[in-house]
Amino acid sequence: MPKLVKVSSHWPSIRPPLIISCTISEDGTTVTLIADGQVTLRSSQPLSAANSKWSVRILEDADKSDWIRIGLLPKLSSDQLIEMEGKKSGYIASQTLGGWAARGDGKIFGEWQCPPFLFAKGATVKCEVDFSAKTLTLKCGNRSVVGTIPSIKIDEALYPAVSLYRAGQKVAFMET
């Protein structure tokens, strides 16, 4: 399983933004947010046609799973990653980062068409990208939705990602 890497973090109401810390497990698959603030992490390796599935387990939602986003990020250059550190809008599907995401309360973010999708503490959200059909399928228990992402390309580097906001939220990336 690829390791998680931090893409962006900040505390949005403080100027200049305060860098928010999180802990990442030694194996690089589990992250816990230490204090309230936005943190976005992505897989260290992109998806491919041969490796297009991943899962995220919500271990702790700090009573606010509506502040957890699960989705995809496009490839960001080293300069973009450096520029992002400490800036506002560091969520998946923000104008700054781009991408596509579902939030725990069912809201959908980014330029795609997807039905609402709910998840909460204890859930395992299984995700699969179909590059040729330009879709992202999200499954949780017996619920499943398929979203259409017209802008993705077969050869585009896309990364599984998660955004957290509340202190104590903890998620784990898992193999599917």
Side-chain angles (χ1 to χ4, degrees):
M1 183 75 197
K3 294 185 178 218
L4 289 167
V5 293
K6 189 163 67 166
V7 174
S8 124
S9 66
H10 81 285
W11 179 254
S13 62
I14 298 173
R15 301 285 181 249
L18 172 70
I19 303 304
I20 299 301
S21 66
C22 59
T23 58
I24 300 175
S25 62
E26 281 188 38
D27 66 0
T29 62
T30 304
V31 61
T32 304
L33 190 57
I34 303 302
D36 285 356
Q38 297 175 357
V39 173
T40 295
L41 300 103
R42 68 160 171 81
S43 169
S44 59
Q45 296 176 6
L47 297 168
S48 66
N51 179 28
S52 61
K53 298 178 183 181
W54 76 100
S55 295
V56 177
R57 176 107 172 127
I58 312 302
L59 301 171
E60 183 57 62
D61 66 4
D63 298 321
K64 284 289 187 180
S65 61
D66 57 328
W67 289 101
I68 297 174
R69 289 187 188 191
I70 296 172
L72 292 168
L73 281 176
K75 182 175 183 175
L76 301 170
S77 70
S78 300
D79 290 341
Q80 285 173 303
L81 291 172
I82 291 168
E83 186 179 322
M84 267 309 302
E85 188 59 40
K87 287 200 174 175
K88 193 173 180 177
S89 298
Y91 276 126
I92 305 166
S94 65
Q95 281 187 307
T96 313
L97 288 180
W100 310 270
R103 198 169 71 182
D105 62 0
K107 292 186 180 177
I108 302 299
F109 298 87
E111 299 293 321
W112 64 312
Q113 296 82 45
C114 185
F117 185 75
L118 298 165
F119 57 86
K121 180 180 175 181
T124 297
V125 179
K126 295 179 180 183
C127 310
E128 181 175 5
V129 174
D130 183 327
F131 287 90
S132 58
K134 299 185 176 193
T135 60
L136 171 59
T137 301
L138 304 170
K139 296 179 183 178
C140 186
N142 61 358
R143 296 175 295 114
S144 178
V145 297
V146 178
T148 304
I149 308 173
S151 61
I152 66 171
K153 299 170 187 75
I154 289 177
D155 59 349
E156 182 175 10
L158 296 176
Y159 295 83
V162 63
S163 292
L164 307 174
Y165 188 77
R166 294 282 183 219
Q169 289 176 331
K170 183 177 183 178
V171 298
F173 267 48
M174 303 165 55
E175 292 194 36
T176 301

